[in-house]
Amino acid sequence: MKNLLKKYGHIGAMGYWFIYLPWFLYLERTVVRDYTVMHVRLDDFIPFNEYFVIPYLMWFIYVAGTLGYFFFVSKHEYYRLCTFLFTGMTISLLVYTFFPNGTDLRVSVDSHKNFCSFLVSLIHTADTSTNVFPSIHVYNSLGVHAAIMKSAVLQERVWVRKFSFLLMMAICLSTMFLKQHSALDAVGALILAYVVYPFVYGEDYAGSRKLVQRKVMS
């Protein structure tokens, strides 16, 4: 048991979810009126497309899978990714708390049209149209891709890095094509990621990256 705790003690970082989930669910229940509607003209030119539900839902695998990979392969890069994700998610929750917001973009979906429409209807049932700016979906996708691109372990896995970019882009676009988020929410997430990035993957990362490479090669 002592050896397991020493080897996998970094799972303690996942305790953050015991803070995030109750906080987010509380906001989902309480932010129901008197919130700022996030809507810009660009949103009106983006058509609804139910097939984007596929990359939208792949977000869960993308984030959880990358966290799981680094958990077992590189404790250092795991902590870096956790820091990036949890910092932005906390800031987002603070924004939702003190600046209640939502969208008016959702369209009626015929759940019997096809399987993708059925999935979208399930999302509408489970998820409210509030707490959208900045988009955590977009922010976390940017964070996961940054972690993969900065990873010394994945440096030679060109196909992984290219696939990550394509999936990250598809997920970000899906939030708007499903009318889950305004383009403003995506821009807000991009700005937040830009601000947090230097604190997690700044210039000091170069030295630590070489250390990781030596450990991987040893």
Side-chain angles (χ1 to χ4, degrees):
M1 180 62 72
K2 184 178 180 180
N3 289 333
L4 283 175
L5 288 174
K6 183 177 180 180
K7 187 175 181 179
Y8 297 118
H10 48 297
I11 197 173
M14 291 296 102
Y16 172 78
W17 294 104
F18 291 102
I19 298 173
Y20 173 82
L21 287 175
W23 190 352
F24 180 77
L25 292 174
Y26 169 78
L27 291 172
E28 286 284 276
R29 292 194 308 270
T30 57
V31 181
V32 294
R33 61 175 67 90
D34 299 326
Y35 55 80
T36 300
V37 175
M38 312 307 293
H39 190 148
V40 292
R41 189 175 181 185
L42 175 60
D43 298 325
D44 301 325
F45 293 96
I46 300 175
F48 171 80
N49 188 313
E50 70 270 20
Y51 295 106
F52 272 94
V53 74
I54 296 173
Y56 186 85
L57 292 177
M58 285 183 69
W59 175 83
F60 295 96
I61 300 174
Y62 186 48
V63 176
T66 305
L67 279 169
Y69 175 79
F70 286 136
F71 176 84
F72 290 107
V73 174
S74 174
K75 185 187 297 186
H76 174 77
E77 294 178 3
Y78 165 80
Y79 276 130
R80 288 276 182 165
L81 178 55
C82 285
T83 301
F84 189 97
L85 297 183
F86 299 163
T87 298
M89 292 163 70
T90 301
I91 293 173
S92 296
L93 289 178
L94 288 171
V95 173
Y96 304 159
T97 300
F98 297 105
F99 177 61
N101 58 77
T103 70
D104 58 357
L105 299 171
R106 285 188 177 179
V107 298
S108 297
V109 178
D110 179 5
S111 61
H112 301 290
K113 179 182 178 183
N114 54 47
F115 184 62
C116 287
S117 294
F118 171 71
L119 291 176
V120 174
S121 67
L122 290 181
I123 292 173
H124 286 181
T125 301
D127 187 24
T128 71
S129 58
T130 58
N131 307 309
V132 295
F133 175 88
S135 168
I136 291 178
H137 233 75
V138 172
Y139 176 84
N140 281 4
S141 298
L142 293 168
V144 168
H145 181 62
I148 290 173
M149 293 302 292
K150 284 290 188 178
S151 171
V153 179
L154 297 174
Q155 189 65 32
E156 304 302 323
R157 303 290 182 87
V158 177
W159 68 271
V160 173
R161 292 152 65 91
K162 288 183 176 179
F163 178 76
S164 173
F165 175 76
L166 293 174
L167 182 55
M168 179 270 291
M169 289 296 297
I171 292 172
C172 292
L173 290 173
S174 75
T175 64
M176 293 173 280
F177 278 92
L178 289 181
K179 300 300 180 178
Q180 287 289 102
H181 285 278
S182 164
L184 198 59
D185 305 332
V187 171
L190 182 62
I191 293 173
L192 179 58
Y194 180 81
V195 171
V196 175
Y197 181 88
F199 294 97
V200 181
Y201 297 108
E203 292 180 1
D204 65 315
Y205 189 80
S208 58
R209 181 171 173 173
K210 291 180 181 178
L211 178 62
V212 172
Q213 288 176 323
R214 287 198 295 268
K215 287 183 178 180
V216 171
M217 295 175 65
S218 61

